[in-house]
Amino acid sequence: PRLLSQFFFADERVTRVVAEINRLDAELDPQQYLVLLNQLHLSQAHLLAVLERIMEECIPTQRHSRDYLVKFPEELLVDNLGNHMLFAAECLLAGTFLEVEESDGAQLRPLARNLLCSLEVVRTVLREQSLSQPSSYSEPVRAALIQFDQLFAEFELSYVSSLVAVKSPEEIYRQQEIVVLFCETVERALRLGYLTQEMIDGYEPLLMFTIPRLAIISGLLIYPEGPLSLEQSPEQMPRVFSPFYNLLKKIRDLLRVLSAEELCLLERSLCTAE
């Protein structure tokens, strides 16, 4: 159950697969090469997972901030992102630019080299620690983990930034404004009796349609200075709403002519219509 023991066997697995790949002639047996390559990715993913748990146990208050992850597109935030970063670093160090432009790759190579060298240091000191004192962490181990964690974060941010346009602080703020709008919409709907707490606690499927509909009305009439403010240009609005700028204007104009009773009737109908 000790993490250092788990690391030892995970590290052994990676070392063994790498040795098998080095002994194999990929041109003579391409199918076996692909099998071993897949095994390497799986064993590296397991090794990184154990390393992550070790860092949480050994240096929990000295971890490098991962706040930058909120800037990444959601489709990149997957469980194997760390393993993908490690594979990307290995490719860059080998001079292969699979996903990035050659000029970007040249700038990323020093970061990749530092990261992989740091990983080797971590593997060495952890192996030594696991063989001598598997129930504790020495100061050299802590120092190596802190440096690896920092270099990994720096490479991850730099590499992803070269692939996609990461969110700007303004985009993140607009996204947070939408979250606030939806929260205030739900609170208002509960207060007016449009929704019930039981519906929310039970994850009523209809809420997937009801809450966004009510949020549009709230954003146009109740909280007109929020993310749906039409006093700003389409470019200043959250990207999820900006394509519908003109349509939202028409909806707002129609809503403004409704009486309080008519607005209430409309909102209630939006809670039941499918």
Side-chain angles (χ1 to χ4, degrees):
R2 288 183 295 222
L3 287 178
L4 281 172
S5 299
Q6 293 179 34
F7 168 82
F8 178 84
F9 290 107
D11 187 70
E12 282 279 287
R13 176 61 177 165
V14 171
T15 302
R16 186 164 60 251
V17 175
V18 170
E20 291 182 34
I21 290 177
N22 290 337
R23 289 195 301 265
L24 183 71
D25 190 328
E27 294 183 358
L28 293 178
D29 196 347
Q31 185 173 358
Q32 179 62 16
Y33 175 76
L34 292 176
V35 170
L36 290 174
L37 195 61
N38 182 60
Q39 290 179 5
L40 177 61
H41 291 164
L42 293 175
S43 60
Q44 285 180 330
H46 179 56
L47 181 67
L48 286 178
V50 176
L51 271 178
E52 179 67 24
R53 292 169 60 196
I54 287 176
M55 287 189 288
E56 283 299 313
E57 183 177 83
C58 180
I59 54 169
T61 62
Q62 297 167 291
R63 299 293 305 273
H64 193 281
S65 172
R66 294 300 197 277
D67 290 346
Y68 60 81
L69 289 174
V70 300
K71 299 181 178 183
F72 291 1
E74 292 184 4
E75 60 270 19
L76 290 184
L77 299 178
V78 293
D79 292 338
N80 63 344
L81 179 60
N83 198 40
H84 184 78
M85 291 299 102
L86 183 58
F87 179 67
E90 291 169 341
C91 289
L92 286 169
L93 198 58
T96 304
F97 309 109
L98 294 179
E99 300 175 310
V100 298
E101 298 293 333
E102 187 171 346
S103 57
D104 292 329
Q107 294 181 346
L108 289 167
R109 282 190 73 181
L111 293 177
R113 181 182 297 106
N114 291 340
L115 172 61
L116 294 176
C117 288
S118 177
L119 177 59
E120 287 305 308
V121 171
V122 165
R123 291 177 64 183
T124 299
V125 296
L126 283 178
R127 282 177 65 88
E128 293 174 352
Q129 188 77 40
S130 65
L131 292 171
S132 58
Q133 293 177 301
S135 58
S136 63
Y137 299 102
S138 65
E139 193 54 41
V141 167
R142 295 179 186 275
L145 289 173
I146 291 172
Q147 183 181 42
F148 171 73
D149 189 46
Q150 178 178 346
L151 291 173
F152 196 101
E154 291 176 358
F155 178 78
E156 185 174 53
L157 176 58
S158 299
Y159 187 81
V160 173
S161 298
S162 69
L163 290 180
V164 297
V166 298
K167 297 175 185 175
S168 66
E170 292 76 19
E171 289 176 305
I172 296 172
Y173 179 74
R174 293 187 195 120
Q175 194 173 44
Q176 292 173 335
E177 280 191 316
I178 295 175
V179 174
V180 172
L181 172 62
F182 273 55
C183 291
E184 291 177 337
T185 296
V186 171
E187 183 180 355
R188 177 174 174 270
L190 288 171
R191 187 173 67 251
L192 296 176
Y194 297 155
L195 306 176
T196 66
Q197 190 62 48
E198 289 73 19
M199 295 173 65
I200 296 174
D201 294 340
Y203 300 102
E204 174 63 43
L206 185 60
L207 295 179
M208 294 178 61
F209 304 97
T210 298
I211 294 176
R213 291 168 177 170
L214 294 177
I216 290 175
I217 294 179
S218 296
L220 292 174
L221 289 185
I222 313 301
Y223 311 108
E225 297 180 357
L228 283 181
S229 172
L230 298 177
E231 301 305 316
Q232 57 188 340
S233 66
E235 293 75 20
Q236 295 173 309
M237 295 182 71
R239 285 188 291 179
V240 68
F241 293 123
S242 58
F244 309 103
Y245 185 82
N246 292 329
L247 177 60
L248 290 171
K249 269 192 169 183
K250 293 178 181 179
I251 294 175
R252 182 195 61 183
D253 294 341
L254 290 172
L255 292 174
R256 282 177 171 175
V257 302
L258 297 178
S259 65
E261 293 77 13
E262 290 171 330
L263 179 62
C264 178
L265 182 62
L266 172 62
E267 289 185 305
R268 286 191 179 279
S269 67
L270 292 177
C271 295
T272 56
E274 298 184 5

